[in-house]
Amino acid sequence: MHETEQHDLSDDSDYAAASRHDVSRSILRSDSGKSTTSEAGGSEVVYSKENVAIHPTQYASERISGRLRLFKQGSSLFLSWIPYKPTTDGSAVLQGQGSSSVPLEKDRYLYTIKSLPLADVHSIRRHTPALGWQYTIVVLSSGLAYPPFYFYNGGVREFLATLKHHVFIVRSADDANVFLVNNFRDPLQRTLSSLELPGVVSIANRTSFHKPRISMSSLDDPERVNGATYDGTSSTSEYSGQPKKSHDPARDISIQVLEKFSLVTKFARETTSHLFCDSHDGLNAYEKKQQNNYSSVKHTSSQSDEMEKTSDMSPVASDPLEFEELRLIWGKQRMHPLSFEEWTSFFDSEGRITDSKALRERIFYGGVEDDIRKKVWKFLLGYHEYDSTDAEREYLASVKKSEYQVIKTQWKSISAAQAKRFTKFRERKGLIDKDVVRTDRSIAYYEGDDNPNVTILRDILLTYSFYNFDLGYCQGMSDLLSPILYVMEDESESFWCFVALMERLGPNFNRDQSGMHSQLFALSKLVEILDSPLHNYFKQADCLNYFFCFRWILIQFKREFEYDQIMHLWEVLWTHHLSEHLHLYMCVAILKKHRKKIMGEQMDFDTLLKFINELSGHIDLDWTIREAEALCTCAGENGAACIPPGTPPSLPIETDMGLYPQDDEVL
Amino acid sequence: MASRRRILLKVIILGDSGVGKTSLMNQYVSRKFSNQYKATIGADFLTKEVQIEDRLLTLQIWDTAGQERFQSLGVAFYRGADCCVLVYDVNVMKSFDNLNNWREEFLIQASPSDPENFPFVVLGNKTDIDGGNSRVVSEKKAKQWCASKGNIPYFETSAKEGTNVEAAFQCIANIALKNEPEEEIYLPDTIDVASGNRQQRSSGCEC
């Protein structure tokens, strides 16, 4: 089953080119004209490319140019990228070619890659935009990614071809432009196996993995094939340990993944600190990148004269496509909300949404305009199927309307005398009555005495507590329903949208609080890999229960933002673009933002809780979403592995948990 | 001087949803009342400086979510508490019946070193409603229960009108201070003062 992933590279022109001739050495000579031997003692340079730049900011004119190399040490392959010093001969030559890089010393340190073992690389993504420069993004096993390398003199093809010559690369089944280095089918498994944990067996080792290895061996000497195996470095290639014991790999994964989690995160942390060992200030890789991102901007303004001069000399064309990709690493610029015109363009003639992924992605980056929110939310929440037609949805609405009435009648028909002998009902109703009159009453839609909308809010919640009697009503539900009713302006439609939302968020209100605990657990793991100093601080301050984030998570930041912002945030979260758990990355983003204060003031649990509560109304939403996006991208698969399966708002793993009693089965 | 340094007293307010925990806290700390407090999610606290005799104290008053379902969070919020305030609504029998559950749950989760003598205060809130005509829990009944649980001080309050709120919290501060003997271990010169207070205040709290 893995063979398709591993073999079928022939359609790729880069690979075709690579297999046609013996690449590395000839390219190397033609490119740099330098000798292939001895960069450092005992190493052999197999690829070298001048004028490979990174763009620390979104402006190509602020790029830092350098030399990208692949070199072998023993049987292991390493990558290096050394930025030019502004005053050396080498850079003078390059500046003649159009580079305007004047990197700060600390920028240079930040981005310099002295020797990155290819065994630590998870994948390389290739971008060959029609306009602008080709670039590649190197993603590490830890999930962190380097900023894109722009090949100003070309050479992406040769780069990949050389890599293929020395390490095992397969093309990702999901994306033809992603090349998995040292690929294993399961990314988490790969990470685990790289730790050489006893009893953890790689699927790939046991199944089809041998085949390409053998076939490659026939083309080359065995040492080359084992190029990713190297000695005396921090991580160990998974190539070395195979094949292992004959466990049932599937069972091993499911049982051991969470058990070994702390080791995985430890591994990720060590990889990160190892990579950035040039600077010693204790910040993690992500933060360094970010910091540099900002400092580069500052740097530009402080040296604006100089920069102007150089950019006059060498104007650099901008490529919007390219910059869009670049921002992805740092969190993309927010867009304007989806307009009615744009929205209608997503439908076919019968009213189906043809490309729901594109729609969700579009909404992720900008939300929607007020006038279409009512329609959009029904899809995002899952009440409407994307591939349903106008006619089907119209029919559904009428069926659902009567179905709602049936359930509502169940409690409406309870007489006062009956209620007297029905404590559960009285309690439930009493709780809801108390809560609806204190839910968003400052919003015009709900304000004033005897507001009918408050009554509708009450009716929907009470009906829901009959629809899902086991879950019943729990505080926080009224917060979740309020904007839905405000948007839908229809009792039945609001109810069914709320039902759809609760299908995902219902476990937040479980009696045993299991849904909340799994999210708080996941959050603690995310902080551990994305901000280990903060994690360590929380650990020693006895704050690892993360209860101070309880309100954020329980009601999806409802109490932290203004009403219109909450609607925007929710539609962004509900796209599930990038992750179903972006809200957890938002938590990380906000905590990271304030980590200096939290740690500097040595906040204990109580102080921290107070501090977090008082952030309400003072959180920059757009910044937080962008930051969460960047963190999510950086964390990659390791981030996803932090989140146990079934963690809300993922759909529950077991479907017959009683959320939907059989009587209420729809259609 | 050491004996003059500020002491932090942690007070937890517990009780059924909607009995007025948030309102009582805000009335005491800010002398304000609003009909539009939202249901408390998780927990929050306010602080107020109080002076008892010559002691300057910081009262940290914790407001918690009233729904039983959130009780498991108590472990984190209750720890280090010096006093627990149990609130019920004099117009809702169930909220009074639940006082025992709240008390026991608190003792389990906070696990104080001396649960038998841990200080509680009971507040019967919302005495203003309907001019008192809708009340279903009599003062007598409440006091009986308080007496049965080791003479818990009892106050009837109206957070809306501010009735008895100041007096209740004065008492709360006093008995919380009594429950802070560990502080004195490090301040031997204050032992006498503190024990003197203890005598006076406990009688002052018996209502």
Side-chain angles (χ1 to χ4, degrees), chain A residues 239-259:
Chain A
Y239 286 70
S240 57
Q242 57 155 327
K244 292 182 184 170
K245 302 145 209 163
S246 56
H247 285 235
D248 172 9
R251 197 203 57 196
D252 278 339
I253 292 169
S254 60
I255 295 173
Q256 299 205 18
V257 159
L258 286 173
E259 286 178 8

Side-chain angles (χ1 to χ4, degrees), chain B residues 10 23 29 36 41 47 54 85 109 145 147 169 179 183 196:
Chain B
K10 184 169 177 177
S23 296
V29 174
Q36 300 195 346
I41 303 282
T47 54
D54 59 343
V85 181
Q109 298 218 25
W145 184 81
F169 277 92
N179 194 48
E183 288 285 335

Side-chain angles (χ1 to χ4, degrees), chain A residues 438 471 475 509 559 610 613, chain B residues 17 37 39 43 45 67 69:
Chain A
R438 45 180 179 165
L471 188 61
Q475 291 191 320
F509 304 100
R559 299 278 180 93
K610 185 78 182 158
N613 282 348
Chain B
S17 175
Y37 291 125
F45 64 84
Q67 195 161 5
R69 225 172 282 197

Side-chain angles (χ1 to χ4, degrees), chain A residues 83-144:
Chain A
Y84 303 128
K85 285 182 181 159
T87 52
T88 59
D89 295 346
S91 77
V93 172
L94 287 157
Q95 273 169 6
Q97 293 170 4
S99 166
S100 60
S101 68
V102 191
L104 279 176
E105 202 56 21
K106 67 172 175 180
D107 287 2
R108 288 167 37 76
Y109 274 120
L110 198 56
Y111 291 107
T112 298
I113 302 171
K114 281 188 174 166
S115 65
L116 167 68
L118 261 294
D120 284 353
V121 174
H122 169 265
S123 62
I124 294 171
R125 190 185 169 95
R126 174 193 60 177
H127 296 260
T128 49
L131 296 165
W133 305 278
Q134 298 184 341
Y135 63 95
T136 61
I137 297 174
V138 177
V139 181
L140 301 175
S141 315
S142 63
L144 294 170

Side-chain angles (χ1 to χ4, degrees), chain B residues 51-69:
Chain B
Q51 194 171 351
I52 293 176
E53 305 288 296
D54 59 343
R55 309 286 298 273
L56 210 50
L57 313 173
T58 301
L59 217 50
Q60 188 187 67
I61 303 161
W62 281 70
D63 179 27
T64 58
Q67 195 161 5
E68 281 175 35
R69 225 172 282 197

Side-chain angles (χ1 to χ4, degrees), chain B residues 18 54 77 89 97 109 113 119 130 150 153 165 168 172 175 186 197 200:
Chain B
D54 59 343
F77 301 142
D89 179 345
D97 293 340
Q109 298 218 25
S113 51
D130 204 11
V165 174
I172 290 161
I175 76 164
Y186 307 100
N197 278 349
Q200 282 175 10

Side-chain angles (χ1 to χ4, degrees), chain A residues 73 139 210 226 301 341 404 417 468 482 601 641:
Chain A
Q73 218 158 13
V139 181
H210 286 295
N226 279 333
S301 57
E341 289 73 24
Y404 172 73
N468 190 345
S482 156
E601 296 180 11

